[in-house]
Amino acid sequence: MRDEAWLRELDRLLPPGRLVTDPGVTESYAHDDAEWAPYELPAAVVRPRSAEEVQQIVGVCLRAGVPIVPRGAGTGLSGGANATAGALVLSTEAMTAIKEIDWRERLAVVEPGVVNDHLRAACAEQGLWYPPDPASAPWSTIGGNVATNAGGVCCVKYGVTRDYVLGLQFVTGTGELVRVGRRTAKGVAGYDLAGLLVGSEGTLGVITEITVRLRPSREPEHTVAGYFGSVVDAGHAVAAVAEAGLVPSALEIIDRHCLAAVDEWKHMGLSTEADVVLLGRTDSAGPAGEAEADAMLACFEKGGAGYAVRSTDQQEADALFAARRLAYPALERLGPVLTEDVCVPKGAVPEMLGRIEATARRHDTLIANIAHAGDGNLHPLLITPLGDESAKRRAQAAFDDIIADALDLGGTVTGEHGVGLLKRGGLGAEVGPGVLALNRAVKAALDPHGIFNPGKVVAL
Amino acid sequence: MRDEAWLRELDRLLPPGRLVTDPGVTESYAHDDAEWAPYELPAAVVRPRSAEEVQQIVGVCLRAGVPIVPRGAGTGLSGGANATAGALVLSTEAMTAIKEIDWRERLAVVEPGVVNDHLRAACAEQGLWYPPDPASAPWSTIGGNVATNAGGVCCVKYGVTRDYVLGLQFVTGTGELVRVGRRTAKGVAGYDLAGLLVGSEGTLGVITEITVRLRPSREPEHTVAGYFGSVVDAGHAVAAVAEAGLVPSALEIIDRHCLAAVDEWKHMGLSTEADVVLLGRTDSAGPAGEAEADAMLACFEKGGAGYAVRSTDQQEADALFAARRLAYPALERLGPVLTEDVCVPKGAVPEMLGRIEATARRHDTLIANIAHAGDGNLHPLLITPLGDESAKRRAQAAFDDIIADALDLGGTVTGEHGVGLLKRGGLGAEVGPGVLALNRAVKAALDPHGIFNPGKVVAL
């Protein structure tokens, strides 16, 4: 497999162990967690350990015209890290240094392969907090989080990854190693290239270092749990929370399919309690937090909760959130999962949840629901029995209907997972040809030779 | 003056009164508030009243190859809205509709000519708050604020304009009217084009509508005032606030030159009290706010305040902040002002202030200081007597030294005013040729015919 000149050159340039062509290994780098998206076996996988090595790799690929598929931990859900035949998968997993945590300036400088939870733990030791918390936080990397502009549970109050990226170092489409952004609190020197790279899914460059903004550690949260008879009722409670002007630090829906799947796997005994659980949290300090928790409880009851309670047991509250985090892997055990990621205005959440239920019935498809409901970001999970081609076709039709409904309600096809391969059609439907052309123009400007993750997000 | 074919075409296409070629009027649109930046008389000024009119104007200019200089209220401080001979100044001042304020979704949709304070007042009526508050808020427009990614006093806690822009409608470099961004809380459908337009200073398109994120109205602020013998001491207090992990809702320095200039104009009697005033605010609710104000007071004392006090008199506190806002126009009455806008890491604030003092002495130049000190954004104001060419040369040398010092301390040449014309050299010094090339590539991609504000930020 190392017979191609560019592979021999890479092998010669890089320290031993960086380049892997063994199909037994490269196979495990062929795709991310989007089970439905197409992929092929890459020519090789390379695991650089420094920005300079990344630059050397990009240089070789530029000269040879070999496409590069950048990859973090491979936990993406849109196929953004899926390989194409002949491509080089560039995994940043070995670039794991937390170079700096600066208490006074409230920032950290990290390599892209640092796992999200590892950064959070290191920050916590200094009384600091890196908020973005995708469900994949125990496994996904900051580089991948930046590439997808990852969201998470606390984003409803604290924003997404882009809100925390101050600066980046990356290798450009012409092979240069550059720094964009800054270390200062503010800055407007030139176009916001750091912001542009965030969410670009590896199509505009390979990120080699990230400077993130941090917050001080926050107050312990109050948890409110509501048990509902249907997702639509839970959606009404979500709309009531928005209507009341509350800003929860988390507001998550978990439906009975998810509860049952987690129970089956982890034996937590959750699914006996209710069909749908709505979990709210507030981290406001002192009496304000108490008042917000009480107000949220009232909204849950107004939305039609069969039972709603302020949790006094921190362990129980944490178990509910752990179930939320485990829902996706638990469902994956039942069969291939096609993941939706639509985001609608907060007031449209009940209507959208109702339409998803109708879509499930219409296409005879099992659709489980988890949702960052507080910011309208829903994750209907379409599950099909392994090898059932007819079920797969019905699920694809349901997937398309959900996208159409989200757009109809003023939403977006992807709230936080990215376009990758799965949402390319949805992107076009959402933004139209004029904006698609602008996306292509940006891609052509920053990746003039088209070597970064070709075919993802936009095609040239 | 209307003898050119493109002017005749514009005049024919647009309703009466939109196009102005009278030099008596166009002269007042020839430059913004950056008195030192070069400008020329434009061929005409046009004041469209709708997105469709803007699109027609861009179409005519594209066909005729006439450059467009977009302009809000003209309060910019870097020359970004300065005209060139033969250009068309496109003023959005007549597009003043607040189209929508949505309480539940916490967003507003506005035309670009809406004055910042007008939007804030309309939001306040509904218990909502649009945070970005540049000192120009009573006059500057949301369109101009977006074009420059304007900051302000509360940014130290609440971020800058970019943090509040959800979506934009704009006319592209090929004359299309498009929408980018979204109305939902989150979204990653394609590259962040809305974010890219923010801070692009009219060089990538003409913004015709803006969707901004809002916050709930906040708690009344507690004010702490510290009176210092020198700006460096005030800088030490600022560093102490950062070191203590406090997040003030404002932290502003006003030096004796500014206090005296405001006194001379408004007779407020401020300058007799101290050489330098440091104003801190916190808007945390309840006991947390009380504790933060006390902690800030302790930091002021630790920094060497001759006198520091928690203000109990809201009128007095507001007067101090009014003085902060009036400092710039007050100084302008003394002679042409060359405005700096460097931003350094918080810990470098005392060192930078010391270097500015040394620069003033070295170049025998009067330098007044106002600063958004809490986020390291300093505004040294270089004042020269009208017509004194030698003083002007010395001020220019001081300006260059301040930029070099800010970069030396890990800062940026512009924290919030933008590159415009004044900071083009500084931009190159800050980002280097590789990133400058990326900026040019983005400009060429989105403005392929080079008609939007040519010569500003980057030259093609």
Side-chain angles (χ1 to χ4, degrees):
Chain A
M1 290 295 279
R2 301 201 181 198
D3 50 352
E4 292 188 63
W6 67 274
L7 280 171
R8 287 199 304 275
E9 190 185 351
L10 267 185
D11 211 13
R12 198 173 60 239
L13 277 171
L14 297 171
R18 302 289 193 270
L19 190 69
V20 183
T21 53
D22 175 357
V25 178
T26 59
E27 206 181 344
S28 64
Y29 287 85
H31 61 83
D32 62 21
D33 231 6
E35 302 182 55
W36 283 52
Y39 61 88
E40 296 166 305
L41 198 65
V45 172
V46 66
R47 297 179 290 208
R49 293 186 172 266
S50 70
E52 291 65 33
E53 288 182 15
V54 173
Q55 190 179 19
Q56 286 181 312
I57 294 162
V58 172
V60 168
C61 288
L62 269 173
R63 287 190 292 277
V66 172
I68 294 172
V69 179
R71 179 187 168 101
T75 58
L77 293 165
S78 295
N82 281 15
T84 45
L88 176 69
V89 170
L90 190 163
S91 166
T92 57
E93 74 198 282
M95 296 174 70
T96 57
I98 297 177
K99 293 179 164 182
E100 183 185 354
I101 295 178
D102 187 323
W103 153 260
R104 185 168 56 186
E105 304 300 331
R106 292 251 173 79
L107 59 81
V109 182
V110 303
E111 288 187 333
V114 172
V115 168
N116 180 302
D117 268 357
H118 296 177
L119 174 60
R120 296 155 68 83
C123 290
E125 281 176 21
Q126 300 195 30
L128 294 169
W129 180 41
Y130 175 69
D133 59 348
S136 60
W139 316 285
S140 65
T141 62
I142 301 298
N145 292 173
V146 170
T148 54
N149 190 20
V153 169
C154 74
C155 300
V156 60
K157 181 164 182 178
Y158 292 100
V160 294
T161 301
R162 179 175 287 117
D163 300 314
Y164 294 89
V165 174
L166 279 172
L168 296 172
Q169 184 194 54
F170 73 104
V171 178
T172 72
T174 54
E176 283 193 79
L177 183 64
V178 300
R179 284 186 182 281
V180 293
R182 57 187 197 281
R183 283 175 66 99
T184 50
K186 290 154 72 181
V188 288
Y191 302 130
D192 183 17
L193 297 171
L196 185 61
L197 264 284
V198 178
S200 66
E201 303 185 39
T203 65
L204 301 180
V206 181
I207 294 167
T208 53
E209 188 191 280
I210 302 138
T211 303
V212 294
R213 189 198 305 272
L214 304 173
R215 284 179 171 269
S217 293
R218 58 179 171 164
E219 296 289 316
E221 292 172 289
H222 304 277
T223 301
V224 181
Y227 300 84
F228 293 81
S230 78
V231 286
V232 175
D233 284 350
H236 284 301
V238 170
V241 168
E243 196 67 52
L246 297 170
V247 187
S249 54
L251 192 55
E252 298 285 319
I253 286 176
I254 316 166
D255 80 356
R256 64 189 164 90
H257 302 299
C258 298
L259 295 170
V262 173
D263 273 348
E264 203 180 297
W265 186 22
K266 300 286 181 184
H267 313 291
M268 291 168 79
L270 300 163
S271 53
T272 52
E273 307 243 346
D275 275 349
V276 179
V277 176
L278 178 63
L279 293 176
R281 278 185 157 169
T282 168
D283 61 1
S284 294
E290 298 284 341
E292 279 176 24
D294 286 338
M296 197 158 12
L297 184 68
C299 292
F300 284 20
E301 283 162 353
K302 191 178 156 195
Y307 173 61
V309 63
R310 276 188 55 184
S311 173
T312 49
D313 179 346
Q314 189 63 35
Q315 261 189 320
E316 185 190 74
D318 289 344
L320 287 167
F321 274 89
R324 161 66 185 86
R325 197 171 286 272
L326 292 170
Y328 189 81
L331 287 165
E332 272 187 314
R333 298 171 70 247
L334 306 182
V337 177
L338 181 57
T339 311
E340 275 285 8
D341 174 42
V342 293
C343 188
V344 296
K346 284 170 268 189
V349 167
E351 169 72 16
M352 186 68 213
L353 287 167
R355 292 197 190 188
I356 291 168
E357 281 196 330
T359 295
R361 283 193 301 272
R362 196 166 58 250
H363 294 290
D364 186 20
T365 295
L366 173 60
I367 304 185
N369 276 290
I370 42 176
H372 303 306
D375 44 28
N377 188 194
L378 312 181
H379 292 314
L381 303 168
L382 294 73
I383 300 143
T384 52
L386 194 63
D388 183 338
E389 285 307 312
S390 158
K392 216 169 160 178
R393 276 193 301 277
R394 294 196 307 275
Q396 184 64 50
F399 182 89
D400 294 342
D401 283 3
I402 291 170
I403 284 180
D405 278 327
L407 294 178
D408 183 48
L409 293 173
T412 174
V413 301
T414 175
E416 59 180 15
H417 292 171
V419 173
L421 292 168
L422 289 181
K423 291 292 175 76
R424 281 193 40 189
L427 172 66
E430 178 173 336
V431 305
V435 173
L436 218 46
L438 293 177
N439 274 275
R440 278 195 209 99
V442 167
K443 166 74 173 168
L446 294 195
D447 181 23
H449 307 290
I451 62 157
F452 293 133
N453 219 3
K456 311 294 167 54
V457 188
V458 288
L460 284 186
Chain B
M1 292 298 278
R2 300 201 181 195
D3 50 353
E4 292 187 63
W6 67 273
L7 280 172
R8 287 197 307 273
E9 189 185 353
L10 267 187
D11 210 13
R12 199 173 60 239
L13 279 171
L14 298 171
R18 302 289 194 270
L19 190 68
V20 183
T21 53
D22 175 356
V25 177
T26 59
E27 206 182 341
S28 65
Y29 287 84
H31 61 82
D32 62 21
D33 232 7
E35 302 183 54
W36 283 52
Y39 63 88
E40 295 166 304
L41 198 64
V45 173
V46 66
R47 296 177 291 207
R49 291 184 174 268
S50 71
E52 290 66 32
E53 288 184 14
V54 173
Q55 190 179 19
Q56 287 181 310
I57 294 162
V58 172
V60 169
C61 289
L62 270 173
R63 288 191 291 278
V66 173
I68 294 172
V69 179
R71 178 187 169 100
T75 58
L77 292 165
S78 294
N82 282 13
T84 44
L88 176 69
V89 171
L90 190 164
S91 167
T92 57
E93 74 196 284
M95 296 175 70
T96 57
I98 296 176
K99 294 180 166 183
E100 183 186 353
I101 296 179
D102 187 323
W103 197 86
R104 185 168 55 186
E105 305 298 332
R106 293 253 173 81
L107 59 81
V109 181
V110 302
E111 288 186 331
V114 171
V115 168
N116 181 302
D117 268 358
H118 296 175
L119 174 60
R120 296 155 68 82
C123 291
E125 280 175 21
Q126 300 196 29
L128 293 169
W129 179 41
Y130 175 69
D133 59 348
S136 61
W139 316 285
S140 65
T141 63
I142 301 298
N145 292 173
V146 170
T148 54
N149 189 20
V153 168
C154 74
C155 300
V156 60
K157 181 165 182 177
Y158 292 100
V160 293
T161 301
R162 180 174 287 116
D163 300 313
Y164 293 88
V165 174
L166 279 172
L168 295 173
Q169 184 195 52
F170 73 104
V171 178
T172 72
T174 54
E176 284 193 79
L177 183 64
V178 300
R179 284 187 181 281
V180 294
R182 56 188 199 279
R183 282 174 68 99
T184 51
K186 291 153 72 180
V188 288
Y191 302 131
D192 183 18
L193 297 172
L196 186 61
L197 264 285
V198 178
S200 65
E201 303 185 40
T203 64
L204 301 180
V206 182
I207 295 166
T208 53
E209 189 193 280
I210 302 139
T211 303
V212 294
R213 189 198 306 269
L214 304 173
R215 285 178 170 269
S217 293
R218 58 179 171 164
E219 296 289 316
E221 293 172 290
H222 304 276
T223 301
V224 182
Y227 299 84
F228 293 81
S230 77
V231 287
V232 175
D233 283 350
H236 284 301
V238 170
V241 168
E243 195 67 53
L246 297 170
V247 186
S249 54
L251 192 54
E252 299 285 319
I253 287 177
I254 317 167
D255 80 355
R256 64 191 166 89
H257 302 299
C258 298
L259 295 171
V262 173
D263 273 349
E264 204 179 296
W265 187 23
K266 300 285 180 185
H267 312 292
M268 291 168 75
L270 301 163
S271 54
T272 52
E273 306 243 347
D275 275 348
V276 179
V277 176
L278 178 62
L279 293 176
R281 277 185 159 169
T282 168
D283 61 2
S284 294
E290 299 284 339
E292 279 176 24
D294 286 338
M296 198 158 11
L297 185 68
C299 291
F300 283 20
E301 283 163 352
K302 190 178 156 196
Y307 174 61
V309 65
R310 277 188 55 184
S311 174
T312 48
D313 179 346
Q314 189 63 34
Q315 261 192 319
E316 184 191 75
D318 289 345
L320 287 167
F321 274 89
R324 160 68 185 83
R325 198 171 284 273
L326 292 170
Y328 188 82
L331 286 165
E332 271 187 312
R333 298 170 73 247
L334 306 181
V337 177
L338 181 57
T339 311
E340 274 285 10
D341 175 41
V342 294
C343 189
V344 297
K346 285 170 266 189
V349 167
E351 170 72 16
M352 186 67 213
L353 287 167
R355 291 197 190 187
I356 291 167
E357 282 197 327
T359 295
R361 284 193 300 271
R362 196 166 59 250
H363 293 289
D364 187 20
T365 295
L366 173 60
I367 304 184
N369 276 290
I370 42 177
H372 304 306
D375 44 26
N377 188 195
L378 313 181
H379 293 314
L381 304 168
L382 294 74
I383 300 144
T384 52
L386 194 63
D388 184 337
E389 285 306 311
S390 157
K392 217 169 161 179
R393 276 193 301 277
R394 294 197 306 275
Q396 184 62 53
F399 183 89
D400 295 340
D401 283 2
I402 290 169
I403 284 180
D405 279 327
L407 293 177
D408 183 47
L409 294 173
T412 174
V413 301
T414 176
E416 60 179 14
H417 292 171
V419 173
L421 292 168
L422 289 181
K423 290 291 174 76
R424 283 196 37 194
L427 172 65
E430 178 173 337
V431 304
V435 174
L436 218 45
L438 293 177
N439 274 274
R440 279 197 208 98
V442 167
K443 166 74 172 168
L446 295 194
D447 181 23
H449 307 292
I451 63 157
F452 293 134
N453 218 2
K456 310 293 167 54
V457 187
V458 287
L460 285 184

